[in-house]
Amino acid sequence: MSPAADSNSGMGEEPLIEDFGQRIGRAMGWPPMAGRLAGVLMLSPAPMTLSELQTTLGASKGSASEMTRLLVANGTVERVKVPGVRQAGYVWRDDAWSGCLQHQLDQNRQLLELARTAQERGLGMAEVQQARLRDMYAYYEFMVGHLRRLLDEYEQLQAGR
């Protein structure tokens, strides 16, 4: 077991990790295991392999693998090469909160593109349907603009620390 895995034993971190599982999982729409995995990696001082995450969380290989992919996709965790270890390691990104916000921005950009396309395709529809499509477009245009500014502001704040 690596020092990262050892650091999670006997340190009173289990209640905090369970809290992450429940609260982050629920707030982000993730399964509790993803929240627990996020908590483990956030508190780990070193990269952890999938095997170590499995053992620490008491998770199956498939579950640990699926949850790491989810966290990587959500911008909070990254896969890294650990010197002297054959398996890839996973770490909590130093810029995880920027990564999380970037993921939200990317999602909203995709939905803005859908709204633009839907609005074009809905030109022959009844006015009530067109109005809904315009509202969808206006909402995502608003969200993309504000999320972009929010991300820029947060990154400037972080750079000043």
Side-chain angles (χ1 to χ4, degrees):
M1 199 173 274
S2 78
D6 288 342
S7 72
N8 289 329
S9 58
M11 299 287 287
E13 296 172 355
E14 291 81 9
L16 181 56
I17 289 167
E18 288 304 317
D19 205 18
F20 269 74
Q22 294 304 312
R23 293 181 184 211
I24 289 182
R26 190 175 328 124
M28 298 297 288
W30 296 343
M33 181 61 74
R36 289 177 63 221
L37 196 144
V40 166
L41 288 175
M42 186 186 295
L43 298 174
S44 177
M48 294 181 72
T49 66
L50 201 54
S51 297
E52 291 168 337
L53 289 166
Q54 262 182 270
T55 301
T56 301
L57 294 167
S60 69
K61 184 176 183 177
S63 177
S65 178
E66 184 178 341
M67 295 306 108
T68 54
R69 279 194 305 271
L70 175 71
L71 296 178
V72 168
N74 276 269
T76 57
V77 168
E78 68 183 335
R79 185 179 168 156
V80 296
K81 173 71 178 124
V82 181
V85 178
R86 291 182 67 183
Q87 285 186 340
Y90 294 90
V91 295
W92 186 258
R93 286 176 44 172
D94 290 338
D95 66 344
W97 304 116
S98 292
C100 190
L101 194 50
Q102 181 66 55
H103 176 70
Q104 292 174 25
L105 175 59
D106 293 343
Q107 286 178 315
N108 278 269
R109 282 182 175 148
Q110 290 174 23
L111 292 168
L112 176 60
E113 181 56 29
L114 169 64
R116 184 192 62 74
T117 302
Q119 203 172 0
E120 290 172 3
R121 291 181 179 164
L123 289 175
M125 294 180 179
E127 178 53 33
V128 69
Q129 292 164 313
Q130 288 186 45
R132 289 174 184 161
L133 295 173
R134 284 192 302 272
D135 287 346
M136 179 184 177
Y137 182 83
Y139 172 80
Y140 285 110
E141 186 176 45
F142 172 86
M143 290 299 292
V144 165
H146 283 277
L147 286 169
R148 177 72 258 162
R149 286 189 292 279
L150 190 60
L151 179 58
D152 290 343
E153 184 179 332
Y154 182 74
E155 287 176 343
Q156 288 174 2
L157 176 72
Q158 291 303 102
R161 286 188 167 186

Short mmCIF file of all heavy atoms in Angstrom, two decimals, residues 113-156:
data_model
loop_
_atom_site.label_atom_id
_atom_site.label_comp_id
_atom_site.label_asym_id
_atom_site.label_seq_id
_atom_site.Cartn_x
_atom_site.Cartn_y
_atom_site.Cartn_z
N GLU A 113 -25.39 25.40 -27.88
CA GLU A 113 -25.36 24.97 -29.28
C GLU A 113 -26.62 24.19 -29.63
O GLU A 113 -27.20 24.39 -30.71
CB GLU A 113 -24.11 24.15 -29.57
CG GLU A 113 -23.98 23.68 -31.00
CD GLU A 113 -24.03 24.79 -32.04
OE1 GLU A 113 -23.63 25.94 -31.76
OE2 GLU A 113 -24.49 24.51 -33.18
N LEU A 114 -27.06 23.33 -28.74
CA LEU A 114 -28.33 22.62 -28.96
C LEU A 114 -29.47 23.61 -29.08
O LEU A 114 -30.32 23.49 -29.98
CB LEU A 114 -28.60 21.64 -27.81
CG LEU A 114 -30.01 21.04 -27.77
CD1 LEU A 114 -30.27 20.17 -28.98
CD2 LEU A 114 -30.22 20.27 -26.47
N ALA A 115 -29.51 24.59 -28.20
CA ALA A 115 -30.59 25.59 -28.22
C ALA A 115 -30.58 26.38 -29.53
O ALA A 115 -31.63 26.66 -30.11
CB ALA A 115 -30.46 26.53 -27.03
N ARG A 116 -29.38 26.72 -30.01
CA ARG A 116 -29.27 27.45 -31.29
C ARG A 116 -29.82 26.61 -32.43
O ARG A 116 -30.63 27.07 -33.24
CB ARG A 116 -27.81 27.82 -31.57
CG ARG A 116 -27.63 28.67 -32.84
CD ARG A 116 -26.19 28.77 -33.26
NE ARG A 116 -25.59 27.50 -33.60
CZ ARG A 116 -25.84 26.81 -34.73
NH1 ARG A 116 -26.69 27.27 -35.62
NH2 ARG A 116 -25.25 25.66 -34.97
N THR A 117 -29.40 25.35 -32.48
CA THR A 117 -29.87 24.44 -33.53
C THR A 117 -31.37 24.20 -33.42
O THR A 117 -32.08 24.22 -34.43
CB THR A 117 -29.12 23.09 -33.42
OG1 THR A 117 -27.72 23.34 -33.53
CG2 THR A 117 -29.54 22.13 -34.52
N ALA A 118 -31.85 24.01 -32.21
CA ALA A 118 -33.29 23.76 -32.00
C ALA A 118 -34.10 24.97 -32.43
O ALA A 118 -35.17 24.82 -33.04
CB ALA A 118 -33.55 23.42 -30.54
N GLN A 119 -33.60 26.14 -32.14
CA GLN A 119 -34.31 27.37 -32.52
C GLN A 119 -34.41 27.47 -34.05
O GLN A 119 -35.47 27.81 -34.58
CB GLN A 119 -33.55 28.57 -31.95
CG GLN A 119 -34.38 29.79 -31.78
CD GLN A 119 -33.63 30.88 -31.02
OE1 GLN A 119 -32.48 30.73 -30.63
NE2 GLN A 119 -34.29 32.00 -30.83
N GLU A 120 -33.34 27.16 -34.75
CA GLU A 120 -33.36 27.18 -36.21
C GLU A 120 -34.33 26.15 -36.76
O GLU A 120 -35.09 26.44 -37.69
CB GLU A 120 -31.96 26.91 -36.77
CG GLU A 120 -30.97 28.03 -36.54
CD GLU A 120 -29.55 27.64 -36.93
OE1 GLU A 120 -29.32 26.52 -37.44
OE2 GLU A 120 -28.66 28.48 -36.73
N ARG A 121 -34.31 24.96 -36.21
CA ARG A 121 -35.18 23.88 -36.69
C ARG A 121 -36.64 24.11 -36.33
O ARG A 121 -37.53 23.54 -36.96
CB ARG A 121 -34.72 22.54 -36.14
CG ARG A 121 -33.41 22.09 -36.73
CD ARG A 121 -32.99 20.76 -36.19
NE ARG A 121 -31.74 20.33 -36.79
CZ ARG A 121 -30.98 19.37 -36.31
NH1 ARG A 121 -31.35 18.71 -35.23
NH2 ARG A 121 -29.85 19.05 -36.91
N GLY A 122 -36.88 24.92 -35.29
CA GLY A 122 -38.25 25.15 -34.84
C GLY A 122 -38.94 26.33 -35.48
O GLY A 122 -40.03 26.71 -35.05
N LEU A 123 -38.33 26.92 -36.51
CA LEU A 123 -38.91 28.11 -37.11
C LEU A 123 -40.33 27.90 -37.65
O LEU A 123 -41.13 28.82 -37.63
CB LEU A 123 -38.00 28.66 -38.22
CG LEU A 123 -36.71 29.31 -37.73
CD1 LEU A 123 -35.82 29.70 -38.91
CD2 LEU A 123 -37.00 30.51 -36.85
N GLY A 124 -40.66 26.71 -38.09
CA GLY A 124 -42.00 26.46 -38.62
C GLY A 124 -43.00 26.01 -37.57
O GLY A 124 -44.16 25.76 -37.89
N MET A 125 -42.58 25.94 -36.33
CA MET A 125 -43.46 25.47 -35.25
C MET A 125 -44.38 26.59 -34.78
O MET A 125 -44.18 27.77 -35.08
CB MET A 125 -42.62 24.96 -34.08
CG MET A 125 -41.83 23.72 -34.39
SD MET A 125 -40.88 23.21 -32.93
CE MET A 125 -40.10 21.74 -33.58
N ALA A 126 -45.36 26.21 -33.98
CA ALA A 126 -46.28 27.17 -33.40
C ALA A 126 -45.52 28.16 -32.52
O ALA A 126 -44.45 27.86 -31.99
CB ALA A 126 -47.34 26.45 -32.57
N GLU A 127 -46.08 29.35 -32.32
CA GLU A 127 -45.42 30.42 -31.56
C GLU A 127 -45.06 29.99 -30.14
O GLU A 127 -43.99 30.33 -29.65
CB GLU A 127 -46.30 31.67 -31.52
CG GLU A 127 -45.73 32.83 -30.72
CD GLU A 127 -44.30 33.25 -31.11
OE1 GLU A 127 -43.94 33.15 -32.30
OE2 GLU A 127 -43.54 33.67 -30.21
N VAL A 128 -45.91 29.23 -29.49
CA VAL A 128 -45.61 28.80 -28.11
C VAL A 128 -44.35 27.93 -28.08
O VAL A 128 -43.52 28.06 -27.18
CB VAL A 128 -46.82 28.08 -27.46
CG1 VAL A 128 -47.10 26.73 -28.11
CG2 VAL A 128 -46.60 27.91 -25.96
N GLN A 129 -44.17 27.08 -29.06
CA GLN A 129 -42.97 26.25 -29.13
C GLN A 129 -41.75 27.08 -29.45
O GLN A 129 -40.68 26.90 -28.85
CB GLN A 129 -43.17 25.14 -30.17
CG GLN A 129 -44.22 24.12 -29.75
CD GLN A 129 -44.67 23.28 -30.92
OE1 GLN A 129 -44.97 23.80 -32.00
NE2 GLN A 129 -44.71 21.96 -30.70
N GLN A 130 -41.89 28.01 -30.39
CA GLN A 130 -40.78 28.90 -30.74
C GLN A 130 -40.36 29.74 -29.53
O GLN A 130 -39.17 29.96 -29.30
CB GLN A 130 -41.14 29.79 -31.92
CG GLN A 130 -41.21 29.05 -33.24
CD GLN A 130 -41.43 29.99 -34.42
OE1 GLN A 130 -40.76 31.04 -34.49
NE2 GLN A 130 -42.32 29.62 -35.32
N ALA A 131 -41.33 30.19 -28.76
CA ALA A 131 -41.04 30.99 -27.57
C ALA A 131 -40.23 30.16 -26.56
O ALA A 131 -39.28 30.66 -25.95
CB ALA A 131 -42.32 31.51 -26.93
N ARG A 132 -40.60 28.91 -26.40
CA ARG A 132 -39.86 28.04 -25.48
C ARG A 132 -38.43 27.84 -25.95
O ARG A 132 -37.48 27.82 -25.15
CB ARG A 132 -40.56 26.69 -25.35
CG ARG A 132 -41.86 26.77 -24.59
CD ARG A 132 -42.58 25.45 -24.60
NE ARG A 132 -43.87 25.57 -23.94
CZ ARG A 132 -44.86 24.70 -24.10
NH1 ARG A 132 -44.70 23.63 -24.89
NH2 ARG A 132 -45.99 24.87 -23.46
N LEU A 133 -38.26 27.68 -27.26
CA LEU A 133 -36.91 27.52 -27.81
C LEU A 133 -36.09 28.80 -27.68
O LEU A 133 -34.89 28.75 -27.39
CB LEU A 133 -36.99 27.04 -29.26
CG LEU A 133 -37.59 25.65 -29.46
CD1 LEU A 133 -37.79 25.35 -30.94
CD2 LEU A 133 -36.74 24.58 -28.80
N ARG A 134 -36.74 29.96 -27.85
CA ARG A 134 -36.03 31.23 -27.65
C ARG A 134 -35.62 31.38 -26.18
O ARG A 134 -34.51 31.84 -25.89
CB ARG A 134 -36.91 32.42 -28.07
CG ARG A 134 -37.01 32.62 -29.57
CD ARG A 134 -37.65 33.97 -29.93
NE ARG A 134 -38.99 34.13 -29.38
CZ ARG A 134 -40.12 33.73 -29.98
NH1 ARG A 134 -40.07 33.16 -31.17
NH2 ARG A 134 -41.29 33.93 -29.40
N ASP A 135 -36.52 30.99 -25.28
CA ASP A 135 -36.21 31.06 -23.85
C ASP A 135 -35.02 30.15 -23.51
O ASP A 135 -34.16 30.52 -22.72
CB ASP A 135 -37.42 30.65 -23.01
CG ASP A 135 -38.51 31.70 -22.99
OD1 ASP A 135 -38.26 32.85 -23.40
OD2 ASP A 135 -39.63 31.36 -22.56
N MET A 136 -35.01 28.97 -24.10
CA MET A 136 -33.91 28.03 -23.87
C MET A 136 -32.60 28.66 -24.34
O MET A 136 -31.59 28.63 -23.62
CB MET A 136 -34.16 26.72 -24.61
CG MET A 136 -33.07 25.69 -24.46
SD MET A 136 -33.45 24.23 -25.48
CE MET A 136 -32.00 23.24 -25.20
N TYR A 137 -32.61 29.25 -25.53
CA TYR A 137 -31.42 29.87 -26.06
C TYR A 137 -30.97 31.03 -25.17
O TYR A 137 -29.79 31.14 -24.81
CB TYR A 137 -31.65 30.37 -27.49
CG TYR A 137 -30.40 30.96 -28.09
CD1 TYR A 137 -29.44 30.16 -28.67
CD2 TYR A 137 -30.17 32.34 -28.03
CE1 TYR A 137 -28.27 30.70 -29.19
CE2 TYR A 137 -29.01 32.89 -28.55
CZ TYR A 137 -28.06 32.07 -29.12
OH TYR A 137 -26.91 32.60 -29.62
N ALA A 138 -31.91 31.88 -24.76
CA ALA A 138 -31.57 33.03 -23.92
C ALA A 138 -30.97 32.58 -22.58
O ALA A 138 -30.01 33.17 -22.08
CB ALA A 138 -32.81 33.89 -23.68
N TYR A 139 -31.53 31.52 -22.02
CA TYR A 139 -31.03 31.00 -20.75
C TYR A 139 -29.59 30.53 -20.89
O TYR A 139 -28.73 30.90 -20.08
CB TYR A 139 -31.92 29.85 -20.26
CG TYR A 139 -31.36 29.14 -19.05
CD1 TYR A 139 -31.51 29.70 -17.78
CD2 TYR A 139 -30.67 27.95 -19.17
CE1 TYR A 139 -30.99 29.06 -16.66
CE2 TYR A 139 -30.14 27.31 -18.06
CZ TYR A 139 -30.30 27.87 -16.81
OH TYR A 139 -29.78 27.25 -15.71
N TYR A 140 -29.32 29.70 -21.89
CA TYR A 140 -27.96 29.17 -22.03
C TYR A 140 -26.98 30.23 -22.48
O TYR A 140 -25.80 30.20 -22.09
CB TYR A 140 -27.94 27.92 -22.91
CG TYR A 140 -28.48 26.74 -22.15
CD1 TYR A 140 -29.70 26.17 -22.47
CD2 TYR A 140 -27.80 26.23 -21.05
CE1 TYR A 140 -30.22 25.11 -21.73
CE2 TYR A 140 -28.30 25.18 -20.31
CZ TYR A 140 -29.51 24.63 -20.66
OH TYR A 140 -30.01 23.59 -19.91
N GLU A 141 -27.43 31.20 -23.23
CA GLU A 141 -26.55 32.32 -23.59
C GLU A 141 -26.16 33.09 -22.32
O GLU A 141 -25.00 33.45 -22.12
CB GLU A 141 -27.25 33.23 -24.60
CG GLU A 141 -26.38 34.33 -25.15
CD GLU A 141 -27.11 35.13 -26.22
OE1 GLU A 141 -28.28 35.48 -26.02
OE2 GLU A 141 -26.47 35.38 -27.26
N PHE A 142 -27.14 33.33 -21.47
CA PHE A 142 -26.91 33.99 -20.19
C PHE A 142 -25.93 33.18 -19.34
O PHE A 142 -24.97 33.71 -18.78
CB PHE A 142 -28.26 34.15 -19.47
CG PHE A 142 -28.15 34.64 -18.05
CD1 PHE A 142 -28.10 36.00 -17.78
CD2 PHE A 142 -28.12 33.74 -16.99
CE1 PHE A 142 -28.02 36.45 -16.46
CE2 PHE A 142 -28.03 34.18 -15.68
CZ PHE A 142 -27.98 35.54 -15.41
N MET A 143 -26.17 31.87 -19.21
CA MET A 143 -25.34 31.01 -18.38
C MET A 143 -23.90 30.95 -18.88
O MET A 143 -22.96 31.05 -18.09
CB MET A 143 -25.93 29.60 -18.30
CG MET A 143 -27.22 29.52 -17.51
SD MET A 143 -27.04 30.03 -15.78
CE MET A 143 -26.01 28.68 -15.16
N VAL A 144 -23.72 30.79 -20.19
CA VAL A 144 -22.37 30.71 -20.75
C VAL A 144 -21.61 32.01 -20.47
O VAL A 144 -20.45 31.98 -20.03
CB VAL A 144 -22.41 30.38 -22.26
CG1 VAL A 144 -21.07 30.66 -22.93
CG2 VAL A 144 -22.82 28.93 -22.46
N GLY A 145 -22.25 33.14 -20.71
CA GLY A 145 -21.59 34.42 -20.47
C GLY A 145 -21.19 34.59 -19.01
O GLY A 145 -20.06 34.99 -18.70
N HIS A 146 -22.10 34.28 -18.11
CA HIS A 146 -21.81 34.45 -16.70
C HIS A 146 -20.82 33.42 -16.17
O HIS A 146 -19.96 33.76 -15.35
CB HIS A 146 -23.10 34.45 -15.88
CG HIS A 146 -23.84 35.75 -15.98
ND1 HIS A 146 -23.53 36.84 -15.21
CD2 HIS A 146 -24.84 36.14 -16.80
CE1 HIS A 146 -24.31 37.85 -15.53
NE2 HIS A 146 -25.12 37.45 -16.50
N LEU A 147 -20.92 32.20 -16.62
CA LEU A 147 -19.95 31.19 -16.18
C LEU A 147 -18.55 31.52 -16.68
O LEU A 147 -17.57 31.32 -15.96
CB LEU A 147 -20.38 29.79 -16.64
CG LEU A 147 -21.54 29.17 -15.87
CD1 LEU A 147 -22.04 27.91 -16.58
CD2 LEU A 147 -21.14 28.86 -14.43
N ARG A 148 -18.45 32.03 -17.91
CA ARG A 148 -17.14 32.42 -18.44
C ARG A 148 -16.53 33.52 -17.58
O ARG A 148 -15.35 33.47 -17.21
CB ARG A 148 -17.31 32.89 -19.89
CG ARG A 148 -16.04 33.39 -20.57
CD ARG A 148 -15.05 32.29 -20.90
NE ARG A 148 -13.99 32.29 -19.92
CZ ARG A 148 -13.15 31.29 -19.67
NH1 ARG A 148 -13.23 30.17 -20.34
NH2 ARG A 148 -12.22 31.38 -18.76
N ARG A 149 -17.33 34.54 -17.25
CA ARG A 149 -16.84 35.64 -16.42
C ARG A 149 -16.51 35.15 -15.01
O ARG A 149 -15.51 35.56 -14.42
CB ARG A 149 -17.84 36.79 -16.39
CG ARG A 149 -17.88 37.58 -17.70
CD ARG A 149 -18.71 38.84 -17.61
NE ARG A 149 -20.13 38.58 -17.45
CZ ARG A 149 -20.97 38.27 -18.45
NH1 ARG A 149 -20.52 38.17 -19.70
NH2 ARG A 149 -22.25 38.06 -18.22
N LEU A 150 -17.33 34.27 -14.49
CA LEU A 150 -17.11 33.72 -13.15
C LEU A 150 -15.80 32.91 -13.11
O LEU A 150 -15.01 33.04 -12.18
CB LEU A 150 -18.29 32.84 -12.76
CG LEU A 150 -18.37 32.35 -11.33
CD1 LEU A 150 -18.44 33.52 -10.36
CD2 LEU A 150 -19.60 31.46 -11.16
N LEU A 151 -15.57 32.11 -14.14
CA LEU A 151 -14.33 31.34 -14.21
C LEU A 151 -13.12 32.27 -14.30
O LEU A 151 -12.12 32.08 -13.60
CB LEU A 151 -14.36 30.37 -15.40
CG LEU A 151 -13.12 29.51 -15.60
CD1 LEU A 151 -12.83 28.65 -14.38
CD2 LEU A 151 -13.29 28.62 -16.83
N ASP A 152 -13.22 33.29 -15.15
CA ASP A 152 -12.11 34.25 -15.27
C ASP A 152 -11.85 34.93 -13.92
O ASP A 152 -10.69 35.06 -13.50
CB ASP A 152 -12.42 35.32 -16.32
CG ASP A 152 -12.41 34.78 -17.74
OD1 ASP A 152 -11.86 33.67 -17.97
OD2 ASP A 152 -12.95 35.46 -18.63
N GLU A 153 -12.90 35.35 -13.25
CA GLU A 153 -12.77 36.03 -11.96
C GLU A 153 -12.16 35.09 -10.91
O GLU A 153 -11.27 35.48 -10.15
CB GLU A 153 -14.14 36.51 -11.50
CG GLU A 153 -14.13 37.31 -10.22
CD GLU A 153 -15.52 37.78 -9.82
OE1 GLU A 153 -16.39 37.96 -10.69
OE2 GLU A 153 -15.72 37.94 -8.59
N TYR A 154 -12.62 33.84 -10.89
CA TYR A 154 -12.08 32.88 -9.92
C TYR A 154 -10.61 32.60 -10.19
O TYR A 154 -9.80 32.53 -9.27
CB TYR A 154 -12.90 31.58 -9.95
CG TYR A 154 -12.42 30.59 -8.94
CD1 TYR A 154 -12.68 30.76 -7.58
CD2 TYR A 154 -11.67 29.49 -9.33
CE1 TYR A 154 -12.22 29.87 -6.64
CE2 TYR A 154 -11.20 28.57 -8.39
CZ TYR A 154 -11.48 28.77 -7.05
OH TYR A 154 -11.01 27.87 -6.12
N GLU A 155 -10.25 32.44 -11.46
CA GLU A 155 -8.85 32.17 -11.79
C GLU A 155 -7.96 33.36 -11.45
O GLU A 155 -6.82 33.18 -11.00
CB GLU A 155 -8.72 31.77 -13.26
CG GLU A 155 -9.27 30.36 -13.51
CD GLU A 155 -9.26 29.92 -14.96
OE1 GLU A 155 -9.14 30.77 -15.86
OE2 GLU A 155 -9.39 28.71 -15.18
N GLN A 156 -8.46 34.58 -11.62
CA GLN A 156 -7.70 35.76 -11.21
C GLN A 156 -7.51 35.80 -9.69
O GLN A 156 -6.44 36.11 -9.19
CB GLN A 156 -8.38 37.04 -11.68
CG GLN A 156 -8.30 37.27 -13.17
CD GLN A 156 -9.12 38.47 -13.62
OE1 GLN A 156 -9.74 39.17 -12.83
NE2 GLN A 156 -9.13 38.69 -14.93
#
